[in-house]
Amino acid sequence: MDVTTDAGAPWLVVGLGNPGPGYAMNRHNVGFMVADLLAERVGGRFKRAQKAQAQVVEGRIGPPGPANRRVVLAKPMSYMNLSGGPVNALREFYKVPVGNIVAIHDELDIDYGTLRLKLGGGDNGHNGLKSMTKAMGPDYHRVRFGIGRPPGRMQVADFVLKDFSGVERKELDYFVDRAADSVECLLSEGLERAQSAYNS
């Protein structure tokens, strides 16, 4: 178990994205896609949170026994650059230590579909992480889902707010599934085990 986590406390797993059907298949919304799959796996449906501008599902992740974890899955319903407020409100409501928070987000500096799990660090220009770090410091876990760099001279903002391409979509379900697996491994077996299994 990582020293930064609290075995008795729940985990807060946050998929980052923008609300609304117009953003649903954007590269920037891959965190929502992974959160939706995890909610399906725990048999829950997202509902509006009581104390935060977010949707949540409560459940358990991991095998029966000591590795089974209580988890709150969340999708902030603010826009991406305001994610920190809802996440911090959920953290306070569910009494989750910062070390038990996982942010799932798109990452420009990693090839498409590649995963990197880590604890703490900078925001690398990602507005969702920037907002979360401003609200509660940087010491939370990240599952970084590679989307690659924009082609040619396309602006970063345009690239992340575009839907995954037809070619990318052929493998998207597989990569989202693998990202959900990595979250389950992180919660049940700790960061080092998840990194060795999923960082590529």
Side-chain angles (χ1 to χ4, degrees):
M1 178 66 58
D2 307 300
V3 293
T4 49
T5 63
D6 179 344
W11 283 78
L12 176 59
V13 175
V14 182
L16 293 179
N18 286 308
Y23 296 101
M25 287 304 296
N26 286 183
R27 294 181 178 92
H28 223 20
N29 269 46
V30 74
F32 274 19
M33 296 174 200
V34 178
D36 285 337
L37 179 56
L38 286 166
E40 220 176 277
R41 290 183 181 184
V42 303
R45 298 182 70 163
F46 278 101
K47 61 181 191 295
R48 186 178 297 176
Q50 293 176 358
K51 302 286 183 182
Q53 191 183 357
Q55 291 184 351
V56 295
V57 169
E58 295 178 52
R60 300 195 79 89
I61 279 178
N68 191 259
R69 301 282 178 255
R70 194 171 136 229
V71 64
V72 179
L73 304 171
K75 297 192 294 187
M77 290 289 113
S78 60
Y79 284 94
M80 178 71 88
N81 59 350
L82 300 172
S83 301
V87 175
N88 204 35
L90 291 170
R91 180 185 70 79
E92 290 175 351
F93 180 71
Y94 288 103
K95 298 180 173 50
V96 178
V98 174
N100 279 33
I101 295 173
V102 182
I104 309 163
H105 64 92
D106 58 305
E107 179 62 63
L108 286 159
D109 286 338
I110 303 175
D111 290 341
Y112 173 60
T114 300
L115 293 177
R116 293 266 200 289
L117 284 78
K118 66 180 227 178
L119 174 63
D123 56 58
N124 204 20
H126 192 288
N127 288 331
L129 297 182
K130 200 175 288 184
S131 180
M132 283 182 62
T133 296
K134 187 177 177 187
M136 58 198 182
D139 298 326
Y140 51 91
H141 291 81
R142 298 103 189 276
V143 174
R144 305 159 73 206
F145 187 111
I147 60 169
R149 301 293 305 182
R153 298 187 179 188
M154 186 187 286
Q155 294 294 310
V156 165
D158 294 333
F159 180 69
V160 299
L161 293 175
K162 275 202 173 3
D163 288 359
F164 283 102
S165 70
V167 171
E168 288 170 333
R169 263 188 249 189
K170 289 176 182 171
E171 293 184 292
L172 183 60
D173 286 349
Y174 168 76
F175 290 139
V176 167
D177 196 65
R178 194 163 178 273
D181 290 346
S182 78
V183 173
E184 293 185 351
C185 183
L186 169 62
L187 269 57
S188 299
E189 301 183 51
L191 179 60
E192 279 186 33
R193 175 77 186 91
Q195 285 174 324
S196 68
Y198 293 96
N199 280 16
S200 48

